[in-house]
């Protein structure tokens, strides 16, 4: 849980050299260090100096995010200044923490690295150091300005190579080369090009390049969330979640595999590093999976597939959630709401896959020391559910009560209430032993009871509650919410050892307090080192974004994809998915999302609109993000698969291929929610509607998993696989069936636009059919769904959405589209004329009726396999049809 990984070439080299036997604990620690922290650990005074600089970076970020600068009236930095300081820390640490080559020392920092670190930090901070002077000469850089810019770009490219490997360096270099080579490119890619002076100024001395949106998000949001996850892990939350998952699920068939899935989902709440998730959880679950009957390749693949899914699990989502706030233009809480259901469905499907694999290999559950009766189980679940509901209600009403009494001065009383709650939970937990750390190499598997684990670590959930409360109830900004959650976790790390010693009366409170202080400092240092690669990735991605804006590459990509796909939306999405996978093969998740969101997301929006398909902007960005993260498991550079193979001792490429097969159930979801936005809870207007959408989508994902695994109730025959995949498609797109019989839209004249908008509420779509000319002068006809803003009437709501309409003769024309609005991002431009307003056809039944068509082939497979099971003599005999048995260690085809 150490944050969002930005793995470099040393990590890839280490991963590619794994021996055939399982890696040792020291080897696994080295893998994570190479991937997340840089791998270089100098000793003595140099090591302390590096730690001091890293810790100072964390303290700066905490100061910048806190309200203290405004309270004391000093140390206030604007956004541009903060970005420059942020990058200066990252550049300096990149050269002292990341070795130049595989053969470079991991304990000594060479003199050349100190020089590069110093020059790189100076060039990065140049925008802050000479901010006033640069403001007086915009577009007219001095000689020193150009020297700092060119040196900064060059040194940053070397930092990119060290922190993220050759893949990101080559990608960035190609985009920079494209800027200069424009006049010599083929016609479809030709542009005017740019001078060296213009490129240097655009990329380094403005906020259009390196210091753009991506680095701003890294400063404001990502750093604190990474630090938050690091501190929680040091406090013991990672082990607590793992052990709790094992206690709850270990007794099920294929329990260790199901533990890997659930614990990765829980870790995904606060972490976005697929590599560290694999190692922290896999070192425990992969050996257990192998000991219970899973082949090593499949054990590693299950852990890798579940770990990369942590990046699609809100609220952190591998830092992409914070970037989407800027790219999509909606609040952070809305990003979480839209992303939640597909993430849960994906984990449910993987959970089901592990169950099918357990059936295939005849894996029996791990027995408990004592098997509870059904009454005890029912009582336990009843108490657990009711206790959880009561605890949530108690927290909510206690805080609301304090706020009702204290009013606007409720901040400190609520904080005091949180302290009291934490102390009470810790005092309760201190009466019981700490959450145990199981030895995966032990010959006997001990299945822990969930309640003893839960009661020993309930206090660890307080910072997470603080985070979710600030985000969802107080509706604070992500940065402010992360600050208060991080401050809570810092206090917990600092005081927890001393408080436990006090509550348990073991003495040594002073020593425990010093240990807490040491843990806190280690968290600040590790959190900062985990951010080096991310900050460099965001800065390097800024170069790519700058190249796109400088050359107009986005328009070129639209024309290219339209030409290749011949205007077919499905083919366009497949092509986009392939591009995302290819880019992700050499680029870390954060940088990959920035790149594909800049290049490919506008392509989908534009071509979808031209095809008459209404695609929400958040669906487009989640689509490109989902396919970007899958590169973490796909060979030949899937780092999550390499890390899992290091633990299992099996072939990394075989593990990656199997993990890729498992992730197909995730790959189908982006296609589904592009065509069916209800999966993103768009257009879901009641709890009953939500239940129908969630249930049908989950069943569809399970049917797809069963089809790809070739197993439903028993081994499936080829025609049953076809029926399962057909059922999945129809359940994910019930509107397709309704479209065959009823039109989707009813057209109204443009004059009705204000009256129709008056019927809509905030965030409901006004669907406009418009015509106009593209920037090249070509006639364009498209359909655009504009989310309505707040207003007293239709005219005000349209204007609040960023759109101004004007009457020119007998034609309504789009006279202005606000810069940065969602309407602009959805492709609506000034000068377009309104042709029609589309509303849902009044005679069209609800799309949910189409779900019946999807259930029919699923029911048919259920009946067919039920007959075969009865003929074969029951479920026990049916397992024999698989050809697998408990003693089998070979690997079946996927």
């Amino acid at each position: 849980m150490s944050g969002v990984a930005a793995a470099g070439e040393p990590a890839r080299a280490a991963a590619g050299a794994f021996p055939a036997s399982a890696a040792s604990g020291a080897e696994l620690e080295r893998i994570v260090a190479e991937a997340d922290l840089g791998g270089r650990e100098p000793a003595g005074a140099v090591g302390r100096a590096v730690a001091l600089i890293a810790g100072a970076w964390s303290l700066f970020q905490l100061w910048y995010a806190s309200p203290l600068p405004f309270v004391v009236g000093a140390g206030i930095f604007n956004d541009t200044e903060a970005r420059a300081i942020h990058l200066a820390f990252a550049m300096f640490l990149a050269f002292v923490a990341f070795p130049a080559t595989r053969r470079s020392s991991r304990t000594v920092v060479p003199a050349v690295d100190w020089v590069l670190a110093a020059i790189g930090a100076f060039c990065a901070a140049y925008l802050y150091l000479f901010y006033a002077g640069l403001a007086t000469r915009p577009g007219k850089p001095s000689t020193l300005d150009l020297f700092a810019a060119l040196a900064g770009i060059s040194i940053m490219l070397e930092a990119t190579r060290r922190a993220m490997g050759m893949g990101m360096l080559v990608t960035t270099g190609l985009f920079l080369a494209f800027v200069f080579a424009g006049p010599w490119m083929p016609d479809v890619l030709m542009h005017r090009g740019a001078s060296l002076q213009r490129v240097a100024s655009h990329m380094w001395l403005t906020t259009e390049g390196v210091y753009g949106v991506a680095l701003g998000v890294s400063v404001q949001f990502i750093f604190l969330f990474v630090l938050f996850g690091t501190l929680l892990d040091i406090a013991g939350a990672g082990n607590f979640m793992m052990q709790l998952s094992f206690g709850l699920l270990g007794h099920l068939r294929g329990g260790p595999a199901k533990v890997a899935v659930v614990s990765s989902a829980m870790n995904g709440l606060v972490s976005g590093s697929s590599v560290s998730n694999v190692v922290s959880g896999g070192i425990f679950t992969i050996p257990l999976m192998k000991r219970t009957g899973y082949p090593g390749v499949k054990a590693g693949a299950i852990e890798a597939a579940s770990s990369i899914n942590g990046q699609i699990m809100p609220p952190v989502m591998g830092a992409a959630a914070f970037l989407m706030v800027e790219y999509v233009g909606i609040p952070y809480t809305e990003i979480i709401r839209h992303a939640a259901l597909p993430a849960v469905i994906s984990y449910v499907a993987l959970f089901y896959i592990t169950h099918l694999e357990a059936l295939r290999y005849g894996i029996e559950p791990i027995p408990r020391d004592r098997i509870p009766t059904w009454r005890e189980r029912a009582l336990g679940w009843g108490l657990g559910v009711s206790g959880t509901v009561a605890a949530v209600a108690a927290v909510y009403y206690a805080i609301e009560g304090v706020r009702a009494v204290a009013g606007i001065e409720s901040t400190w009383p609520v904080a005091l209430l949180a302290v009291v709650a934490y102390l009470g939970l810790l005092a309760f937990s201190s009466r019981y032993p700490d959450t145990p750390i199981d030895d995966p190499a032990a010959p006997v598997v001990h299945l822990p009871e969930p309640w003893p684990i839960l009661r020993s670590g309930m206090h660890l959930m307080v910072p997470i509650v603080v985070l979710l409360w600030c985000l969802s109830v107080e509706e604070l900004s992500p940065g402010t919410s992360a600050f208060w959650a991080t401050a809570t976790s810092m206090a917990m790390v600092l005081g927890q050892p001393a408080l436990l010693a006090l509550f348990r009366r073991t003495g040594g409170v002073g020593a425990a307090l010093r240990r807490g202080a040491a843990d806190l400092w280690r968290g600040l240092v590790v959190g900062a080192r985990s951010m080096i690669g991310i900050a460099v990735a965001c800065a390097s991605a800024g170069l790519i974004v700058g190249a796109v804006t400088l050359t107009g590459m986005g328009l070129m990509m639209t024309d290219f994809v339209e030409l290749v796909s011949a205007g077919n939306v499905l083919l366009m999405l497949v092509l986009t998915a392939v591009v995302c996978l290819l880019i992700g093969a050499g680029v870390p998740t954060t940088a990959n999302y920035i790149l594909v969101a800049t290049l490919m997301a506008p392509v989908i929006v534009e071509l979808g609109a031209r095809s008459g398909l209404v695609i929400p902007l958040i669906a487009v960005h989640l689509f490109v993000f989902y396919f970007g993260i899958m590169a973490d498991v796909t060979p030949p550079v899937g780092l999550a698969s390499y890390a899992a193979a290091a633990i299992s001792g099996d072939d990394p490429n075989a593990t990656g291929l199997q993990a890729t097969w498992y992730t197909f159930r995730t790959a189908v979801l982006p296609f589904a929610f592009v065509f069916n936005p209800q999966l993103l809870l768009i257009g879901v207007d009641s709890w009953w509607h939500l239940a129908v959408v969630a249930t049908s989508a989950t069943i569809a994902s399970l049917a797809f998993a069963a089809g790809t695994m070739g197993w439903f109730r028993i081994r499936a025959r080829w025609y049953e696989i076809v029926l399962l995949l057909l059922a999945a498609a129809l359940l994910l797109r019930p509107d397709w069936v309704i479209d065959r019989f009823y039109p989707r839209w009813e057209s109204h004249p443009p004059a009705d636009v204000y009256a129709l908008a008056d019927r809509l509420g905030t965030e409901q779509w006004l669907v406009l059919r418009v015509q106009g000319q593209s920037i090249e002068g070509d006639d364009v006809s498209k359909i655009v769904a504009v989310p309505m803003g707040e207003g007293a009437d239709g005219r005000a709501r349209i204007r609040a959405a960023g759109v101004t309409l004007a009457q020119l003769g007998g034609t309504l024309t789009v006279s202005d589209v606000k810069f940065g609005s969602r309407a602009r991002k959805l492709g609506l431009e000034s000068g377009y004329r309104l042709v029609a307003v589309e509303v849902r056809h009044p005679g069209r039944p609800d799309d949910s009726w189409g779900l019946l068509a999807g259930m029919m082939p699923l029911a048919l497979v259920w009946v067919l396999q039920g007959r075969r099971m009865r003929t074969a003599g029951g479920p026990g005999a049916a397992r024999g049809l698989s050809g697998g048995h408990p003693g089998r260690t070979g690997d079946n085809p996927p």
Side-chain angles (χ1 to χ4, degrees):
M1 295 171 59
S2 58
V4 186
E9 194 66 28
R12 289 184 172 87
F18 292 149
S21 59
S24 65
E27 175 70 7
L28 293 173
E29 290 180 5
R30 185 182 66 80
I31 294 168
V32 176
E34 294 277 5
D36 287 354
L37 307 179
R40 181 182 278 162
E41 294 290 346
V46 174
R48 290 191 293 272
V50 172
L52 184 63
I53 295 170
W57 189 13
S58 291
L59 293 174
F60 165 76
Q61 294 291 155
L62 289 166
W63 174 264
Y64 176 70
S66 76
L68 289 177
F70 302 96
V71 173
V72 301
I76 300 174
F77 302 94
N78 65 35
D79 191 38
T80 303
E81 292 173 329
R83 294 179 191 186
I85 297 172
H86 180 83
L87 183 59
F89 274 113
M91 290 274 278
F92 187 91
L93 290 171
F95 286 99
V96 298
F98 285 85
T101 66
R102 275 181 268 172
R103 297 182 179 86
S104 299
S105 172
R106 264 51 177 176
T107 58
V108 176
V109 182
V112 65
D113 284 359
W114 286 113
V115 173
L116 290 173
I119 297 176
F122 170 78
C123 294
Y126 190 83
L127 212 59
Y128 166 69
L129 297 173
F130 300 95
Y131 187 79
L134 288 168
T136 63
R137 50 179 187 273
K140 297 180 180 179
S142 66
T143 303
L144 180 60
D145 295 341
L146 291 176
F147 173 80
L150 293 173
I153 292 172
S154 302
I155 294 175
M156 199 187 73
L157 290 174
E158 169 60 14
T160 299
R161 183 192 68 82
R162 294 191 183 200
M164 290 171 290
M166 289 299 297
M168 184 66 180
L169 176 64
V170 170
T171 303
T172 307
L174 288 175
F175 276 87
L176 289 176
F178 178 76
V179 174
F180 296 107
W184 298 279
M185 299 298 291
D187 288 346
V188 69
L189 298 175
M190 183 180 293
H191 61 92
R192 291 179 57 188
S195 65
L196 186 63
Q197 175 178 328
R198 187 182 178 197
V199 170
S201 178
H202 183 82
M203 297 295 187
W204 202 264
L205 302 177
T206 70
T207 56
E208 296 295 323
V210 169
Y211 299 96
V213 170
L215 194 64
V217 172
S218 179
V219 174
Q220 294 174 358
F221 308 140
I222 300 176
F223 191 105
L224 288 177
F225 275 90
V226 169
L227 182 59
F228 174 64
T230 301
L231 291 168
L232 274 184
D233 195 37
I234 288 175
N239 179 59
F240 167 72
M241 292 178 179
M242 171 64 68
Q243 294 293 338
L244 183 61
S245 301
F246 191 54
L248 290 171
L249 304 170
H251 66 287
L252 301 177
R253 185 187 294 272
K258 293 170 181 175
V259 170
V261 174
V262 174
S263 62
S264 292
M266 295 174 70
N267 283 342
L269 294 174
V270 292
S271 172
S273 172
S274 55
V275 176
S276 64
N277 277 1
V278 166
V279 174
S280 61
I283 196 172
F284 179 76
T285 58
I286 292 176
L288 284 179
M289 281 189 266
K290 292 179 67 176
R291 281 153 54 191
T292 53
Y294 286 96
V297 166
K298 297 205 170 186
I302 289 170
E303 181 61 51
S306 59
S307 292
I308 69 158
N309 266 29
Q311 297 185 70
I312 66 173
M313 177 62 71
V316 176
M317 295 171 58
F322 316 117
L323 292 162
M324 286 182 195
V325 170
E326 301 295 330
Y327 281 106
V328 181
I330 61 178
Y332 179 74
T333 50
E334 288 295 303
I335 299 287
I336 294 174
R337 183 173 70 88
H338 293 314
L341 183 58
V344 172
I345 290 174
S346 181
Y347 267 112
V348 170
L350 184 57
F351 190 93
Y352 180 57
I353 285 174
T354 64
H355 183 73
L356 294 179
E357 292 285 32
L359 289 175
R360 171 180 288 179
Y361 289 99
I363 298 172
E364 298 297 330
I366 301 174
R368 292 192 183 275
D369 295 338
R370 174 185 170 275
I371 300 178
T373 64
W374 69 269
R375 290 185 178 180
E376 290 174 331
R377 291 178 182 175
L379 179 62
W381 278 104
L383 291 175
V385 173
S386 60
T388 301
V389 173
V392 171
V395 169
Y396 179 82
Y397 287 111
I399 296 179
E400 285 297 314
V402 171
R403 295 174 67 186
V405 173
I408 61 174
E409 302 295 333
S410 62
T411 301
W412 291 110
V414 169
L416 180 61
L417 184 64
V419 171
V420 171
Y422 172 74
L423 291 176
L425 290 172
L426 185 61
F428 175 77
S429 298
S430 67
R431 296 159 51 189
Y432 305 98
D434 293 332
T435 303
I437 300 177
D438 187 71
D439 179 9
V444 179
V445 176
H446 173 70
L447 192 60
E449 294 290 336
W451 171 240
I453 297 172
L454 179 62
R455 69 190 180 191
S456 70
M458 287 190 293
H459 60 283
L460 296 171
M461 304 303 294
V462 170
I464 299 177
V465 172
V466 170
L467 174 64
L468 297 178
W469 180 272
C470 291
L471 284 172
S472 58
V473 180
E474 297 288 346
E475 296 185 352
L476 301 178
S477 69
T480 305
S481 302
F483 168 75
W484 289 115
T486 304
T488 304
S489 60
M490 289 173 65
M492 183 173 69
V493 171
L494 176 63
Q496 182 171 286
L499 289 171
L500 283 175
L502 186 64
F503 289 140
R504 290 172 176 171
R505 300 178 181 177
T506 57
V509 174
L513 188 59
R514 289 191 294 273
R515 187 168 66 253
D519 287 343
L520 176 58
W521 177 249
R522 180 164 59 91
L524 295 175
V525 173
V526 172
R529 292 193 58 162
S530 298
M531 269 300 302
I532 299 171
I534 302 170
V536 173
C538 290
S540 188
L543 289 175
I544 297 173
V545 174
V548 172
T549 58
L550 198 58
T551 61
M553 186 184 293
L555 296 174
M556 302 176 196
M557 288 298 298
T558 301
D559 294 338
F560 175 75
V561 173
E562 185 176 30
L563 177 66
V564 174
S565 64
N568 183 283
V569 176
L570 184 59
L571 185 58
M572 172 196 69
L573 292 174
V574 171
L575 179 62
T576 302
V578 172
V579 171
C580 294
L581 285 171
L582 292 175
I583 293 173
V587 180
T589 301
T590 307
N592 181 35
Y593 169 70
I594 296 168
L595 180 54
V596 296
T598 303
L599 277 181
M600 303 308 299
V603 174
I604 298 177
V605 170
E606 180 65 22
L607 296 185
R610 293 182 188 180
S611 302
L613 181 64
V614 176
I615 308 177
L617 195 58
I618 182 63
V620 174
H621 282 263
L622 285 174
F623 181 93
V624 297
F625 172 62
Y626 267 54
F627 281 99
I629 67 168
M630 290 180 193
D632 269 1
V633 297
T634 51
V637 290
L639 286 180
S641 298
Y642 278 125
I647 300 172
S648 66
D650 281 272
D651 180 61
N653 287 326
T655 302
L657 288 172
Q658 185 64 61
T660 302
W661 187 260
Y662 288 153
T663 56
F664 279 166
R665 98 279 172 205
T666 301
V668 74
L669 287 172
F671 288 95
F673 58 59
V674 163
F675 291 103
N676 181 16
Q678 290 182 350
L679 292 176
L680 303 179
L681 306 186
I682 296 174
V684 176
D685 50 14
S686 67
W687 286 104
W688 170 249
H689 194 184
L690 172 62
V692 170
V693 170
T695 303
S696 61
T698 302
I699 294 174
S701 190
L702 298 182
F704 183 83
T708 55
M709 297 297 294
W711 189 291
F712 188 45
R713 301 176 72 183
I714 55 175
R715 181 178 294 280
R717 293 173 177 171
W718 69 266
Y719 54 86
E720 292 172 338
I721 292 176
V722 172
L723 289 173
L724 287 169
L725 297 179
L726 175 63
L730 294 176
L731 288 171
L732 287 172
R733 277 213 64 190
D735 60 313
W736 185 86
V737 177
I738 305 299
D739 286 345
R740 308 281 75 79
F741 303 98
Y742 298 92
R744 181 181 292 268
W745 304 110
E746 182 182 64
S747 295
H748 288 251
D752 294 345
V753 63
Y754 295 122
L756 293 171
D758 195 37
R759 303 178 192 172
L760 302 176
T762 304
E763 292 298 318
Q764 289 186 305
W765 295 350
L766 179 67
V767 182
L768 307 176
R769 189 174 294 277
V770 296
Q771 291 180 352
Q773 286 189 334
S774 67
I775 195 172
E776 296 90 356
D778 299 327
D779 291 333
V780 174
S781 177
K782 64 172 70 174
I783 186 169
V784 180
V786 180
M788 289 290 89
E790 296 181 357
D793 55 22
R795 187 183 298 269
R797 288 173 190 159
I798 293 174
R799 189 175 291 111
V803 181
T804 303
L805 301 176
Q807 186 83 29
L808 297 177
T811 305
L812 267 177
T813 304
V814 179
S815 62
D816 183 58
V817 183
K818 185 178 179 181
F819 179 77
S821 66
R822 277 189 280 172
R824 172 66 67 85
K825 293 175 180 177
L826 285 165
L828 196 61
E829 299 284 349
S830 300
Y832 283 1
R833 64 183 182 277
L834 185 59
V835 176
V837 184
E838 307 285 357
V839 298
R840 183 181 175 86
H841 197 282
R844 180 184 173 94
D846 189 273
D847 291 342
S848 299
W849 287 104
L851 297 174
L852 296 176
M855 294 302 296
M856 292 171 63
L858 192 63
L860 179 59
V861 176
W862 182 276
V863 171
L864 291 174
Q865 292 201 349
R867 289 179 178 175
R868 294 215 310 277
M869 289 172 67
R870 288 191 295 272
T871 302
R879 277 202 304 271
L881 297 176
S882 71
H885 53 81
R888 181 170 180 169
T889 57
D891 203 13
N892 279 357

